[in-house]
Amino acid sequence: MPEAVTHVGSGKVRELYELDDDRLLLVASDRISTFDVVLPTEIPDKGRVLTGLSAFWFARTRELVPNHLLALRDDGRSTECRRLEMLPLECVVRGYLTGSGWKDYRATGSVCGHVLPPGLEDSQKLPEPIFTPSTKAQEGHDENIDRERAAELIGQERFDEVERISIELYRFASEYAAARGILIADTKFELGLDAEGNIMLGDEAFTPDSSRFWPADEYEAGRAQPSFDKQFVRDYCESLGWNKTPPGPELPEGVVSGTRARYVEAFERLTGIAFDAYVADPDVVLS
Ligand code: Q0N
């Protein structure tokens, strides 16, 4: 019999349950979204890959900032977490100019109040990583906000600390990943406060769902980059001429197996651990 747990929230591909007053259970499904639509076909083990990767990064960044991870469950897709009071903003760090950052730069020359040098190209590496917070939209896309607005939301002192922590985390993970052939173009995390008011990293960290992973050997500024994990899915959806509104298409077996292999490859390259070893004992990513 499963434990009786209260469902406290759901994202597009993850669910959050209450374990007790102090602890939540974060469960990653095998669902995949593309162009913001969750597809009817699952990618086997995707939830395990993302849970394992996130736990790997939590274990390696706890000296930079403590985090909500308490334990991994044997299923490899569930994380017992400390319950935090989440800050009302998404912490985004960009090392490369892409997505809404590239859009805002082309329109204004700035991203979230960071004035950038002129003449930058699509996907170009930025001189320094920049902190570009956004608000948590209830529906639809998060909205980029400037530093003044972010400081209004959480206070100037906390903003400065959140920016420093976010940039440090991105520098650590992006250097680590680049040495293993994966560029982390940008990333989003959620910070929260524990009962004593200490800042902690929550949610997931440096997974392909919360970050843009690009294959380093194919990187070339001046054009859009292929996605490390979702490119087969995107190419297939584009080939159908699907209008990118729900419902999304079913994926054929070849796209599913190719995509699963890319997730497992990302896990193994970044962690240096065989995915089978993770499935046998999830705690292998924690040491
Ligand atoms: C929390 N979200 C937003 C999973 C992701 N440790 C925590 N303590 C309190 N609240 C949260 C966490 C975490 N993680 C985070 N919502 C609540 C993202 N969720 C949405 C649902 O799926």
Side-chain angles (χ1 to χ4, degrees):
M1 277 282 282
E3 301 166 69
V5 287
T6 311
H7 189 219
V8 293
S10 52
K12 279 208 289 280
V13 302
R14 292 174 307 148
E15 310 287 341
L16 203 50
Y17 303 91
E18 178 171 278
L19 292 175
D20 56 41
D21 287 352
D22 309 319
R23 297 180 310 140
L24 300 176
L25 188 70
L26 185 54
V27 184
S29 74
D30 290 338
R31 295 192 292 275
I32 187 169
S33 68
T34 190
F35 306 113
D36 275 333
V37 176
V38 177
L39 301 181
T41 311
E42 295 191 332
I43 305 299
D45 294 322
K46 173 175 177 280
R48 287 197 178 90
V49 165
L50 269 62
T51 298
L53 259 183
S54 205
F56 171 82
W57 292 116
F58 281 142
R60 274 149 195 82
T61 58
R62 44 187 295 205
E63 257 85 285
L64 294 177
V65 57
N67 58 67
H68 74 166
L69 184 149
L70 294 170
L72 287 172
R73 292 238 167 136
D74 287 342
D75 64 10
R77 66 173 68 252
S78 309
T79 309
E80 295 179 8
C81 325
R82 205 185 315 265
R83 188 174 218 156
L84 307 174
E85 188 193 322
M86 303 311 288
L87 299 181
L89 85 184
E90 306 272 358
C91 298
V92 178
V93 180
R94 301 169 188 274
Y96 294 77
L97 200 49
T98 184
S100 68
W102 168 239
K103 230 181 175 177
D104 292 351
Y105 171 75
R106 265 197 317 189
T108 69
S110 306
V111 185
C112 297
H114 298 273
V115 180
L116 298 174
L120 296 177
E121 298 185 296
D122 189 2
S123 307
Q124 193 164 337
K125 188 173 189 183
L126 293 167
E128 299 289 336
I130 54 174
F131 181 60
T132 62
S134 58
T135 57
K136 298 177 184 183
Q138 285 309 331
E139 241 167 74
H141 274 116
D142 296 343
E143 185 189 339
N144 286 346
I145 52 176
D146 62 23
R147 325 166 51 71
E148 284 67 42
R149 178 74 193 115
E152 274 171 24
L153 281 172
I154 60 173
Q156 185 64 51
E157 201 174 326
R158 189 147 271 150
F159 174 85
D160 291 341
E161 190 181 3
V162 162
E163 175 174 50
R164 177 184 59 75
I165 289 168
S166 297
I167 298 274
E168 278 181 20
L169 285 169
Y170 175 79
R171 281 193 196 282
F172 174 82
S174 61
E175 283 172 21
Y176 191 100
R180 288 155 183 84
I182 294 176
L183 302 182
I184 302 179
D186 52 28
T187 193
K188 170 158 81 180
F189 14 78
E190 295 201 27
L191 299 176
L193 306 178
D194 72 359
E196 284 76 50
N198 303 305
I199 292 188
M200 298 222 169
L201 180 58
D203 202 45
E204 60 181 339
F206 302 110
T207 66
D209 276 8
S210 66
S211 317
R212 283 191 178 87
F213 282 12
W214 292 342
D217 59 356
E218 292 175 55
Y219 173 71
E220 190 188 6
R223 59 162 168 85
Q225 306 304 300
S227 161
F228 192 94
D229 45 301
K230 287 183 177 170
Q231 201 56 45
F232 297 143
V233 174
R234 293 198 186 141
D235 290 348
Y236 176 73
C237 289
E238 297 278 13
S239 78
L240 297 175
W242 168 52
N243 67 1
K244 299 173 188 172
T245 65
E250 300 265 6
L251 301 175
E253 170 48 31
V255 172
V256 171
S257 59
T259 301
R260 180 187 180 280
R262 291 296 275 176
Y263 280 108
V264 170
E265 185 184 348
F267 175 94
E268 294 187 336
R269 276 214 221 174
L270 290 172
T271 66
I273 298 167
F275 182 64
D276 286 348
Y278 174 74
V279 172
D281 175 14
D283 286 348
V284 291
V285 295
L286 298 180
S287 52

